[in-house]
Amino acid sequence: MKIGVAFLAAALSVAANFVVAQVEIVDRPVGTSTRSGTVHTNSSAPSSGGDAQAASNSAELFYQIQVLQQELLDLRGLVEQQAHQIKQLKQQRLDDYVDLDRRIGDLNRKNLSTSNTQSTANNTSSSVADQTNNATITTSSLSSSVSSSANEIAHYKSATKLILVDKDYDAGILRLNEHLELYPRGRYRGNVQYWLGEVYLAKADLDTSKQWFERLLKESPAHTKAPDSKYKLGTIFHKLGADAEAKQLLNEVSSGHGNAAKLASQYLKANF
């Protein structure tokens, strides 16, 4: 699209110069010398046929210039429209990703809650009592909890936006660490640890990246990001020359399911 705009601009410049060249009128005397004297004739004598043709050509070129100018404006508008659409798509992709993370986290917590309920079925009396006590939460405390959850989601989204959209890794690192300080037991703690590992890996800081992936696996071994963290950790060990540790982690990941398992299998075939 940018090439088309540049081409139209160049065409306009050439056409404008050609118009100027067409409308220039050169008047100079032409002399014919003889023995008896010099006879002068003036080349600026009016020529109705030539002037009409030149005027017609100039009008046609002027019209073409106007058409090209309009096309140039249309193309510029189209470029601006597409740039706006691309920006909207990037934001939508980020929103979808954050929403997917939230849904997966909620599903895992629901499954864990169901499992705990089944294992404590024999203690129904105490369970009912606990549920009764939980039901006495006041409206003000419930509203505060909802507000805190919304703030947590907004803060996490702003941190991931700095990384995924703005590519401002340093600012993203500060925001992610801030998130862990504000919500040390929040729903996105594992995700934040994973993204810190990813950012430091992108910055080629293998040691710091390794620490964050190891921390996620230690604190949340059943987290949805655990397979991806273990795969990334395996590649880091390989880059650091620890082939035995790398191969062990990659084999563990490849025996599972999902995208991380496929990536681990491919990495093993390519490097071991």
Side-chain angles (χ1 to χ4, degrees), residues 27-257:
D27 291 333
R28 62 172 178 266
V30 178
T32 303
S33 298
T34 61
R35 290 183 181 179
S36 59
T38 303
V39 179
H40 297 282
T41 61
N42 194 342
S43 63
S44 62
S47 176
S48 59
D51 291 345
Q53 183 64 34
S56 176
N57 291 339
S58 298
E60 178 64 24
L61 286 173
F62 181 72
Y63 171 75
Q64 292 178 2
I65 290 174
Q66 288 182 316
V67 172
L68 290 174
Q69 287 177 334
Q70 185 60 47
E71 290 181 358
L72 179 60
L73 291 175
D74 292 341
L75 287 173
R76 285 178 177 173
L78 183 59
V79 170
E80 293 176 356
Q81 181 182 2
Q82 289 183 341
H84 179 67
Q85 291 175 347
I86 291 173
K87 184 178 180 180
Q88 287 183 321
L89 288 174
K90 286 183 177 180
Q91 184 61 45
Q92 183 63 44
R93 184 182 64 180
L94 174 62
D95 293 341
D96 291 343
Y97 179 81
V98 172
D99 183 64
L100 179 61
D101 267 359
R102 179 182 61 79
R103 289 173 181 270
I104 293 176
D106 291 342
L107 180 61
N108 288 337
R109 283 189 293 274
K110 182 178 179 181
N111 292 336
L112 181 61
S113 176
T114 301
S115 176
N116 291 336
T117 301
Q118 292 175 351
S119 65
T120 59
N122 295 329
N123 300 323
T124 55
S125 297
S126 60
S127 176
V128 170
D130 291 339
Q131 292 177 1
T132 303
N133 292 332
N134 291 334
T136 61
I137 298 175
T138 62
T139 304
S140 59
S141 63
L142 181 59
S143 300
S144 176
S145 176
V146 172
S147 176
S148 177
S149 178
N151 292 337
E152 180 184 356
I153 294 174
H155 193 278
Y156 174 71
K157 183 183 292 188
S158 68
T160 53
K161 179 179 181 295
L162 287 171
I163 297 170
L164 298 175
V165 179
D166 300 336
K167 305 298 182 183
D168 190 347
Y169 294 152
D170 292 333
I173 288 173
L174 292 175
R175 189 67 60 84
L176 289 171
N177 279 292
E178 181 184 58
H179 189 89
L180 290 177
E181 293 177 0
L182 293 173
Y183 310 99
R185 298 182 180 276
R187 65 169 67 182
Y188 297 112
R189 183 183 64 177
N191 298 75
V192 170
Q193 293 170 345
Y194 173 79
W195 283 116
L196 282 167
E198 281 279 23
V199 173
Y200 280 110
L201 183 60
K203 290 168 66 68
D205 188 346
L206 299 182
D207 290 331
T208 307
S209 176
K210 172 175 168 291
Q211 293 173 10
W212 282 109
F213 287 131
E214 288 178 335
R215 181 174 170 179
L216 187 151
L217 293 173
K218 179 180 179 180
E219 296 181 1
S220 307
H223 195 274
T224 54
K225 291 293 185 184
D228 298 277
S229 298
K230 188 176 291 187
Y231 163 70
K232 292 297 178 69
L233 192 58
T235 63
I236 291 174
F237 272 119
H238 180 247
K239 292 175 182 177
L240 293 174
D243 291 347
E245 292 86 345
K247 191 172 183 180
Q248 179 181 351
L249 286 171
L250 292 169
N251 279 326
E252 291 177 6
V253 179
S254 64
S255 63
H257 304 282

